[in-house]
Amino acid sequence: NRLAAANTNTNSNINADVDGGDVLPYDVICAAGVTAANRNELWYYDTYATILLPDTYVHPLQRRQIKSYYEGEDPALVRSDNRNGNWTQGDIMRYLQRMGKQSKYGTVDVKSCFGGMAIYRASTWFDPSCRYGLDPTGLERYATDADGRPCEHVVYHDCLVRSAA
């Protein structure tokens, strides 16, 4: 299964052409949800549900239960512990926009996302092998101090990716 975060560039069109054009190759498309921050800059807000490929959880390290980077994670893409640090949610937003502009569909392939809205291919949504509320065992590296568990989207999307393998 393929997941993508939508680029927030308003010139980007992620709609499939119903008259025989390209069909999007994704099973899930998530919004790149934003929040207004300092200087009215748009900031990506949903770090809790977002894992960039191949396996970088963008949620701040000090808010996680396991306070160390894991093998394969790119520390340069993890939000700084300080809200105004070296890699902010504004930087994550600009990264998604930049990567989306390089994509045919204006999207960024990800391992997990939500951003305030996710659109699922019907065959993916109705597949009984994956659903929300699954056991998060094995995904502890994505658990946060605040919730003591990984985000439900991370757990569901992990199941979708594993079931497609």
Side-chain angles (χ1 to χ4, degrees):
N1 290 37
R2 292 186 61 194
L3 289 80
N7 177 0
T8 61
N9 179 344
T10 56
N11 295 324
S12 176
N13 181 0
I14 62 167
N15 296 314
D17 184 338
V18 295
D19 295 326
D22 288 344
V23 175
L24 295 177
Y26 303 107
D27 296 289
V28 182
I29 296 180
C30 304
V34 297
T35 185
N38 297 340
R39 301 173 305 279
N40 293 323
E41 175 184 34
L42 295 180
W43 281 29
Y44 183 75
Y45 85 94
D46 199 1
T47 62
Y48 181 42
T50 304
I51 304 171
L52 302 174
L53 289 175
D55 193 21
T56 296
Y57 185 38
V58 301
H59 202 63
L61 196 61
Q62 292 305 310
R63 293 186 184 179
R64 302 179 192 184
Q65 282 192 328
I66 300 172
K67 306 218 184 298
S68 59
Y69 298 110
Y70 50 86
E71 187 176 339
E73 186 170 37
D74 183 350
L77 296 176
V78 175
R79 201 207 89 180
S80 302
D81 291 324
N82 178 329
R83 184 171 183 243
N84 295 308
N86 293 332
W87 185 252
T88 67
Q89 287 167 251
D91 294 313
I92 295 170
M93 186 86 259
R94 286 186 294 279
Y95 171 83
L96 292 172
Q97 289 172 329
R98 185 174 61 254
M99 298 305 289
K101 287 178 183 176
Q102 297 173 17
S103 161
K104 177 179 179 179
Y105 299 108
T107 57
V108 179
D109 288 1
V110 296
K111 188 171 181 179
S112 182
C113 54
F114 181 63
M117 181 177 74
I119 301 170
Y120 294 85
R121 184 178 305 277
S123 59
T124 299
W125 182 254
F126 291 113
D127 180 348
S129 62
C130 295
R131 64 190 183 289
Y132 280 96
L134 294 172
D135 181 358
T137 300
L139 299 173
E140 292 82 10
R141 67 182 175 270
Y142 308 122
T144 64
D145 280 339
D147 292 327
R149 62 170 176 75
C151 174
E152 67 275 16
H153 304 294
V154 169
V155 178
Y156 180 57
H157 296 151
D158 178 71
C159 179
L160 293 176
V161 169
R162 283 184 296 106
S163 69

